[in-house]
Amino acid sequence: MKTIYSAIQPSGIMTLGNYIGAVNNWRTMQSDGDNKCIFALADLHTITVRQQPEQFNKNCWSFYALLLAVGLDPKKSIVYLQSHVKEHCELAWLLNCYTYVGEMNRMTQFKDKSAKHADNINMGLMDYPVLMAADILLYDTDLVPVGYDQLQHIEITRDIALRINNIYGDIFKVPDGFIPKVGAKIMSLQDPTSKMSKSDTNPNAVISCLDTPDVIMKKFKRAVTDSDTTIAYDPQNKAGISNLLGILAVAQGKTIEETLKDCEGFRYGDLKVRVGESVIEMLRPFQEEYNRLIEAKDYLTACAKEGAEKAREIAENTLKRFKEALGYIL
């Protein structure tokens, strides 16, 4: 049985990119009886960027409901809030002592986020990958489903784990990153050379999973394509059209080849409408379940508590193993 671990930050909105590239794949992994799945809201990571407390609290509840609405089953998977398991922070401190400053300085995401938040370049922002390593290593993780932009974080996690194992023996399982074959990276509707991001300042660039059907259709109709008229899957030369085809393929549960065949004779406008309609239908049951769950706070609270208890049981054992190896009095 392989242990799968992944997490998402409860900040801003859950985008179509998050849904297709991450949480929808988590549901698929959950359905495999050979997988032990652990999924978290990375609320500790979220405060590297300043949060308004009331909105942050609301976002945490919203994202937890979204995870359950997409089909993550608390009876089959562990679904919890990172801040509810104190071992994340304790292990992160211990891992810090086996991580080099030069390694953190080279992290691409630290450089990118520092440029975006020049007035708040805090230590949490720099130390983000070490906390992420703690998240992963606490659960003896085999596979971490990630997007391409997170692969560097998986590599530093592996480096830290191997460094510690070389000193103290078999303490941590060394994880591998896993990139899904379909929908691993959904691009912006207004700049198809950039990833769809919840922090994008252009509202037309991003589809929120909770957007109404009318809003979804308007955004797809405004999607940037190119001056050509040919519908072809060519991410290098036809980024906008390729992005729309990729989204349509996932929404309809088909391959790119099948999707291209379905779109024979289409104009760009026809393709945009088809994508909009398909995404609306894909999100409809998800939105209906979310609207039910977000009103069931007692149920969400109980699920979060149960998830944290299950996560803590595993995390405590891993942390104890490492502290014993270090010579701590337990």
Side-chain angles (χ1 to χ4, degrees), residues 303-323:
C303 288
K305 181 180 179 182
E306 182 182 358
E309 288 171 352
K310 290 178 180 177
R312 193 177 302 116
E313 185 177 346
I314 302 169
E316 283 175 346
N317 289 331
T318 306
L319 185 62
K320 181 183 177 183
R321 185 170 71 226
F322 185 30
K323 290 176 75 175

Side-chain angles (χ1 to χ4, degrees), residues 69 115 157 175 219 295 309 319:
T157 299
K219 289 181 179 180
E295 299 300 326
E309 288 171 352
L319 185 62

Side-chain angles (χ1 to χ4, degrees), residues 200-251:
D200 200 309
T201 56
N202 185 344
N204 290 316
V206 181
I207 300 290
S208 164
C209 288
L210 298 179
D211 278 341
T212 65
D214 285 348
V215 169
I216 291 171
M217 185 60 75
K218 285 177 182 176
K219 289 181 179 180
F220 275 116
K221 285 182 176 180
R222 294 169 180 166
V224 170
T225 50
D226 53 52
S227 57
D228 199 351
T229 58
T230 305
I231 293 179
Y233 190 76
D234 182 358
Q236 195 69 30
N237 299 303
K238 296 180 71 64
I241 290 297
S242 298
N243 189 40
L244 292 176
L245 288 168
I247 294 170
L248 182 58
V250 173

